[in-house]
Amino acid sequence: MHATTYRYATPAKYVIQKLRLTPRGHDGQHVRRWRIEIDHDCKLSERRDAFGNIVHTFTLMGTIDSLRITVDGDVETEDTAGVVSGAVERLPRPLYLRETNLTRPDAALEDYARRFASRPDRLDLLHELLADLHSRMTFDTTRTDSGTSAAEAFRLGHGVCQDFTHIFIAAARTLGIPARYVSGYFLHEATSATSEAGHAWAEAHVPDLGWVAFDPANGVCANANYVRVAIGLDYLDAAPVRGSQSGGTAEELGVRVDIRDASVQQ
């Protein structure tokens, strides 16, 4: 279950939201049940974006004091050692070499990436980058925000999963390796199933394997504990919820994510 709640100090008059909250299946992921609920009377419109993500949009008009978006579902996953096959691929691989404002490296980040350039095997290179970045950066929810770039986070040495992912992507692209951002969910077996955010990791392309998922915040390749929802060049392409409103000052945002292993509950 993933709930996003907005509360406004003064009511909003118009709200439009774009949701990338619905996972698609691939060889290691089967969506058994998935449902989106909005606590207002509105119409959800569904489409696919350029990356193949399922996108829902809706608009609200009137006096809107609060808004709650809830998704709930069941997804079967299996451990494929990070290899993602059978997924929807709409865009050519070279597109994932493109820089964005959030993934553009500075000189320091480029120098860091080039330390790994001598590794002849791309998979080994990516695993070394994954391990080094995980040990170098400190997970910290207080030093960055959704607008922090890879270069800024790398300079700080602190960040959240989004920052770890942007740095990994920037370093991979510096070395000519196509890489992309993934948003989704992660079941951390050692901690509570409830958190205040979803998760993010990267996929990089490896010859003979295809796309392989690397989670630099946890220092591992994605396994059966991961549910892949949306991809993009950076966070902005794969953000779970993005929108705007007219009025609605002093917006307060709350997010709650509850992930559980159904096989353990049975």
Side-chain angles (χ1 to χ4, degrees):
M1 190 274 286
H2 179 175
T4 304
T5 305
Y6 296 90
R7 292 186 175 83
Y8 308 103
T10 59
K13 299 177 181 177
Y14 174 84
V15 173
I16 182 169
Q17 293 284 356
K18 179 184 294 184
L19 314 178
R20 290 186 179 85
L21 289 167
T22 303
R24 301 189 73 165
H26 57 79
D27 290 346
Q29 175 171 298
H30 174 62
V31 182
R32 293 171 53 91
R33 178 183 65 85
W34 203 259
R35 181 178 175 82
I36 299 176
E37 292 190 354
I38 314 296
D39 69 344
H40 288 261
D41 185 15
C42 62
K43 178 182 178 182
L44 274 178
S45 298
E46 180 179 318
R47 65 178 179 84
R48 308 294 189 269
D49 67 12
F51 298 97
N53 301 318
I54 299 175
V55 182
H56 291 90
T57 57
F58 69 90
T59 58
L60 300 175
M61 300 182 69
T63 302
I64 307 161
D65 298 308
S66 64
L67 167 63
R68 182 177 173 86
I69 304 162
T70 306
V71 296
D72 182 60
D74 298 323
V75 181
E76 288 183 353
T77 58
E78 61 180 279
D79 188 356
T80 60
V83 176
V84 179
S85 59
V88 173
E89 298 291 350
R90 288 191 165 187
L91 298 172
R93 282 200 303 273
L95 181 109
Y96 295 102
L97 291 168
R98 182 180 297 178
E99 291 181 355
T100 67
N101 289 336
L102 290 175
T103 60
R104 183 171 297 115
D106 60 5
L109 184 45
E110 288 180 339
D111 287 345
Y112 171 69
R114 292 187 182 114
R115 297 178 193 177
F116 304 91
S118 62
R119 279 66 168 178
D121 183 86
R122 180 175 292 188
L123 185 61
D124 289 344
L125 181 160
L126 291 166
H127 275 293
E128 288 192 42
L129 171 62
L130 177 76
D132 190 89
L133 184 57
H134 176 65
S135 63
R136 173 184 296 265
M137 293 284 293
T138 300
F139 190 89
D140 183 348
T141 61
T142 66
R143 303 286 292 276
T144 59
D145 56 42
S146 61
T148 301
S149 70
E152 292 168 334
F154 185 70
R155 187 164 54 250
L156 288 170
H158 290 244
V160 297
C161 57
Q162 172 182 318
D163 303 303
F164 283 68
T165 300
H166 282 156
I167 295 169
F168 185 93
I169 291 170
R173 290 176 184 166
T174 296
L175 299 173
I177 302 172
R180 60 194 185 190
Y181 189 99
V182 185
S183 66
Y185 302 106
F186 169 57
L187 175 63
H188 198 307
E189 295 172 338
T191 60
S192 168
T194 301
S195 67
E196 296 181 350
H199 196 52
W201 59 96
E203 289 175 357
H205 194 268
V206 178
D208 300 326
L209 288 178
W211 291 101
V212 181
F214 296 89
D215 178 4
N218 288 295
V220 298
C221 282
N223 54 34
N225 287 350
Y226 290 73
V227 173
R228 181 181 189 269
V229 176
I231 63 169
L233 292 175
D234 61 22
Y235 162 75
L236 294 177
D237 292 328
V241 180
R242 292 185 70 188
S244 62
Q245 80 266 354
S246 173
T249 59
E251 174 187 280
E252 179 183 341
L253 171 64
V255 178
R256 182 174 181 270
V257 178
D258 194 345
I259 308 169
R260 299 186 184 280
D261 185 344
S263 66
V264 172
Q265 296 175 33
Q266 293 172 353

